[in-house]
Amino acid sequence: MKRIERSLTLFSRAVRVMPGGVNSPVRAFKAVGGTPLFIRSGRGARVTDEDGGEYIDYVMSWGPLLFGHAYPPVVSAVREAALSGTSFGAPTEREILLAEKIVSMVPSIEKVRLVNSGTEAVMSAIRLARAATGRRIVLKFEGCYHGHADSFLIKAGSGAATFGEPSSPGVTPGTAADTRNADLNDLGTVKEVFKACRGEIACVVVEPVAGNMGLVPPEPGFLEGLREMTANDGALLVFDEVMTGFRLARGGAQELFGVVPDLTTLGKVIGGGLPVGAYGGRADLMERISPEGPVYQAGTLSGNPLATAAGLAMLGAIEKEPDLYTRLDRLGARLEAGITRVLAERKIPGSFQRVGSMFCLYFSRGRVRRWADAAAADRERFRKFFHRMLELGVYLAPSPFEAGFLSAAHTEADVDLTIDAAREALS
Ligand SMILES: *Cc1c(COP(=O)(O)O)cnc(C)c1O
């Protein structure tokens, strides 16, 4: 057994002063049981907990750390920026440099606004979509996550096409009335909502590769279908690329799948591990944002010097390595082949799903195509697998509904150790 005394002590202190002892729910290990590990440090592909235990990390801060922990170019950029002041609330050159890089790398973005989190980015993008279309309804997909703004804490009601229901206390029925859910990879359910809400849909928001219900790739024709249906209806298409942006390709999922949205939200990788989000898109839409236009949105720390320095170092590193995404994809393919082999050896039903460096192992009977499939997977088996892997020095996301992330700091040897650990964990 690994020693976790210090994590236990820290957690008992944490729960006294913070709800659930954490600042974001999934960290609390509720989905898998047990005590969360308190992390002391990270370097490359590894993290060390407060008791000195070392783990190969596949959480990677939930996606941002494309080059691993304490990546030297990011660390020195942040350190250097801090020496000149941490925040001014006035324009700085780094904001332009980061915006120029984003505009040059992401196909659909002509203008961009920096914010402080993914939540803020998506919340602001839908305000803009509503303003630009003069419509009120947002259509999203069951199992996709777009941050914790009220408009997205809505599940399908019993008549999914006609109304949504709050999925959290504190969200008003009024807000729920302005959100609809459809099923991922099922254009039929999208069509139904469009029919039921004719002329009322401001935008369709989608994770082009869904990474918050495990990992569900878009099926051929799905994103293209959304593009066509929104264009025909006069609704906007918003790609929430907070997770996929700069992770799956330089230009995100939209580059990978060749579908161009009207608006895109970013976060995670563009902050290099600091709090950053962004939303951008067609210039004629972005020009409606304050102070150029009437749609209000602001932020005291937006475009913060440390965050933009980290983001610039990150995007600079991405540009410097032309075969980065091929390399990540090769690592991913190695992990996929290994884990799939282990499942077959052990005769355990499961589906290892992957796009590039994002992956998920579902203990499901077949492939997971939508939320209902993910929800039906074997959670008890995942819980045991998670804890065995942790014992064996592999830190996976503490939930069966989260994606895992490889970074450029992971090696083939790390992947092979992980496959060996999985073979033992599933014995
Ligand atoms: C993480 C995530 C968000 C929320 O970003 P925060 O920075 O946690 O607010 C929104 N959308 C997607 C797709 C995400 O993965």
Coordinates of all heavy atoms in Angstrom, one line a residue, residues 24 62 116-122 144-148 206-207 209 211-212 240-244 265-268 276-277 405, ligand 1:
S24 N -12.8 22.4 -6.8 CA -13.5 22.0 -8.0 C -13.9 20.5 -7.8 O -13.0 19.7 -7.3 CB -12.6 22.1 -9.3 OG -13.4 22.0 -10.5
W62 N -6.1 18.4 -16.2 CA -7.3 18.2 -17.0 C -7.2 18.8 -18.4 O -8.1 19.3 -19.1 CB -8.5 18.9 -16.3 CG -8.7 18.3 -15.0 CD1 -8.3 18.8 -13.8 CD2 -9.4 17.0 -14.6 NE1 -8.6 17.9 -12.7 CE2 -9.3 16.8 -13.2 CE3 -10.0 16.1 -15.4 CZ2 -9.8 15.8 -12.6 CZ3 -10.6 15.0 -14.7 CH2 -10.5 14.8 -13.3
N116 N -10.7 34.6 -18.4 CA -9.9 34.0 -17.4 C -10.2 32.5 -17.2 O -9.5 31.8 -16.5 CB -10.2 34.6 -16.1 CG -9.8 36.1 -16.1 OD1 -8.6 36.4 -16.3 ND2 -10.8 37.0 -16.0
S117 N -11.2 32.0 -17.9 CA -11.5 30.5 -17.8 C -12.4 30.1 -19.0 O -13.0 30.9 -19.7 CB -12.3 30.3 -16.5 OG -13.6 30.8 -16.6
G118 N -12.5 28.8 -19.1 CA -13.3 28.2 -20.2 C -14.8 28.6 -19.9 O -15.5 28.9 -20.9
T119 N -15.2 28.5 -18.7 CA -16.6 28.8 -18.3 C -17.0 30.2 -18.8 O -18.0 30.4 -19.5 CB -16.8 28.8 -16.8 OG1 -16.6 27.5 -16.3 CG2 -18.1 29.3 -16.4
E120 N -16.1 31.2 -18.5 CA -16.3 32.5 -19.0 C -16.4 32.7 -20.5 O -17.2 33.4 -21.0 CB -15.1 33.4 -18.4 CG -15.5 34.6 -17.7 CD -14.3 35.4 -17.4 OE1 -13.4 34.9 -16.7 OE2 -14.2 36.5 -17.9
A121 N -15.5 31.9 -21.1 CA -15.4 32.0 -22.6 C -16.8 31.5 -23.2 O -17.3 32.2 -24.1 CB -14.3 31.1 -23.1
V122 N -17.3 30.4 -22.8 CA -18.5 29.8 -23.4 C -19.7 30.7 -23.0 O -20.6 31.0 -23.8 CB -18.7 28.3 -23.0 CG1 -19.8 27.7 -24.0 CG2 -17.4 27.5 -23.1
C144 N -22.1 16.7 -22.8 CA -21.1 17.7 -23.1 C -21.0 18.6 -21.9 O -22.0 18.9 -21.3 CB -21.4 18.4 -24.4 SG -21.0 17.5 -25.9
Y145 N -19.8 19.2 -21.7 CA -19.6 20.1 -20.6 C -19.1 21.4 -21.2 O -18.2 21.4 -22.0 CB -18.6 19.6 -19.6 CG -18.4 20.5 -18.4 CD1 -19.3 20.8 -17.5 CD2 -17.1 21.2 -18.3 CE1 -19.1 21.6 -16.4 CE2 -16.9 22.0 -17.2 CZ -17.9 22.2 -16.3 OH -17.6 23.1 -15.2
H146 N -19.7 22.5 -20.8 CA -19.3 23.8 -21.3 C -19.1 24.8 -20.1 O -19.3 26.0 -20.3 CB -20.4 24.4 -22.2 CG -20.7 23.5 -23.3 ND1 -19.8 23.2 -24.3 CD2 -21.8 22.7 -23.6 CE1 -20.3 22.3 -25.2 NE2 -21.5 22.0 -24.8
G147 N -18.6 24.3 -19.0 CA -18.4 25.1 -17.8 C -19.6 25.2 -17.0 O -20.6 24.6 -17.3
H148 N -19.6 26.0 -15.9 CA -20.7 26.0 -14.9 C -21.6 27.1 -15.0 O -22.3 27.4 -14.0 CB -20.1 25.8 -13.5 CG -19.2 26.9 -13.1 ND1 -19.8 28.1 -12.5 CD2 -17.9 27.2 -13.2 CE1 -18.8 28.9 -12.2 NE2 -17.7 28.4 -12.6
V206 N -21.3 22.8 -29.2 CA -20.9 21.4 -29.2 C -19.4 21.3 -28.9 O -18.6 22.1 -29.3 CB -21.2 20.6 -30.5 CG1 -20.4 21.2 -31.7 CG2 -21.1 19.1 -30.3
E207 N -19.0 20.2 -28.1 CA -17.6 19.9 -28.0 C -17.3 19.0 -29.3 O -17.8 17.9 -29.4 CB -17.3 19.0 -26.8 CG -17.4 19.7 -25.5 CD -17.1 18.6 -24.4 OE1 -15.9 18.2 -24.2 OE2 -18.0 18.3 -23.7
V209 N -15.0 17.2 -30.2 CA -14.6 15.8 -29.7 C -15.0 15.9 -28.3 O -14.5 16.7 -27.5 CB -13.1 15.5 -29.9 CG1 -12.8 14.2 -29.2 CG2 -12.7 15.5 -31.3
G211 N -15.1 15.4 -24.6 CA -14.0 15.0 -23.6 C -14.5 15.1 -22.2 O -13.7 14.9 -21.3
N212 N -15.7 15.4 -22.0 CA -16.2 15.5 -20.6 C -17.2 14.4 -20.3 O -17.9 14.5 -19.2 CB -16.8 16.9 -20.3 CG -15.7 17.9 -20.3 OD1 -15.0 18.0 -19.3 ND2 -15.4 18.7 -21.3
D240 N -17.0 24.4 -28.9 CA -16.4 24.6 -27.6 C -15.1 23.8 -27.7 O -15.1 22.6 -27.5 CB -17.3 24.1 -26.4 CG -16.6 24.3 -25.1 OD1 -15.4 24.7 -25.1 OD2 -17.3 24.1 -24.1
E241 N -14.0 24.5 -28.0 CA -12.7 23.8 -28.1 C -11.8 24.2 -26.9 O -10.6 24.2 -27.0 CB -12.0 24.3 -29.4 CG -12.8 23.9 -30.7 CD -11.9 23.2 -31.7 OE1 -11.0 22.4 -31.4 OE2 -12.1 23.6 -32.9
V242 N -12.4 24.4 -25.8 CA -11.7 24.7 -24.5 C -10.7 23.5 -24.3 O -9.5 23.7 -23.9 CB -12.6 24.9 -23.3 CG1 -11.8 24.9 -22.0 CG2 -13.3 26.2 -23.5
M243 N -11.1 22.3 -24.5 CA -10.3 21.1 -24.3 C -9.5 20.7 -25.6 O -8.3 20.4 -25.5 CB -11.1 19.9 -23.9 CG -10.3 18.7 -23.4 SD -11.3 17.3 -23.0 CE -11.9 17.8 -21.4
T244 N -10.1 20.8 -26.8 CA -9.5 20.3 -28.0 C -8.6 21.3 -28.7 O -7.7 21.0 -29.5 CB -10.6 19.9 -29.0 OG1 -11.5 21.0 -29.2 CG2 -11.4 18.7 -28.5
T265 N -14.6 28.6 -28.7 CA -14.1 29.0 -27.3 C -12.9 28.2 -27.1 O -12.8 27.0 -27.5 CB -15.2 28.7 -26.3 OG1 -15.6 27.3 -26.4 CG2 -16.4 29.5 -26.5
L266 N -12.0 28.8 -26.4 CA -10.7 28.2 -26.0 C -10.4 28.3 -24.6 O -11.0 29.1 -23.9 CB -9.6 28.9 -26.8 CG -9.6 28.8 -28.4 CD1 -8.7 29.8 -29.0 CD2 -9.3 27.4 -28.8
G267 N -9.4 27.6 -24.1 CA -9.0 27.6 -22.7 C -7.9 26.6 -22.5 O -7.1 26.4 -23.5
K268 N -7.7 26.1 -21.3 CA -6.8 25.0 -21.1 C -5.4 25.2 -21.8 O -4.6 26.0 -21.2 CB -7.4 23.6 -21.4 CG -8.6 23.4 -20.5 CD -9.2 22.0 -20.4 CE -10.2 21.9 -19.3 NZ -11.6 21.7 -19.7
V276 N -6.6 31.0 -18.2 CA -6.9 31.7 -19.4 C -8.1 31.1 -20.1 O -8.2 29.8 -20.2 CB -5.7 31.8 -20.4 CG1 -6.1 32.7 -21.6 CG2 -4.5 32.3 -19.7
G277 N -8.9 31.9 -20.8 CA -9.9 31.4 -21.7 C -9.9 32.4 -22.8 O -9.3 33.5 -22.7
F405 N -5.1 12.4 -20.7 CA -4.3 13.2 -21.6 C -2.9 12.8 -21.6 O -2.2 12.6 -20.5 CB -4.3 14.7 -21.1 CG -5.7 15.3 -21.2 CD1 -6.5 15.3 -20.0 CD2 -6.3 15.8 -22.3 CE1 -7.8 15.8 -20.0 CE2 -7.5 16.3 -22.3 CZ -8.3 16.3 -21.2
Ligands
LIG1 C1 -12.8 22.5 -19.1 C2 -13.9 22.9 -20.0 C3 -14.7 24.0 -19.9 C4 -14.6 24.9 -18.7 O1 -13.4 25.5 -18.5 P1 -13.0 26.1 -17.1 O2 -11.7 26.7 -17.3 O3 -12.9 24.9 -16.2 O4 -14.0 27.0 -16.7 C5 -15.6 24.3 -20.9 N1 -15.7 23.6 -21.9 C6 -15.0 22.4 -22.1 C7 -15.2 21.7 -23.4 C8 -14.1 22.1 -21.2 O5 -13.4 20.9 -21.4

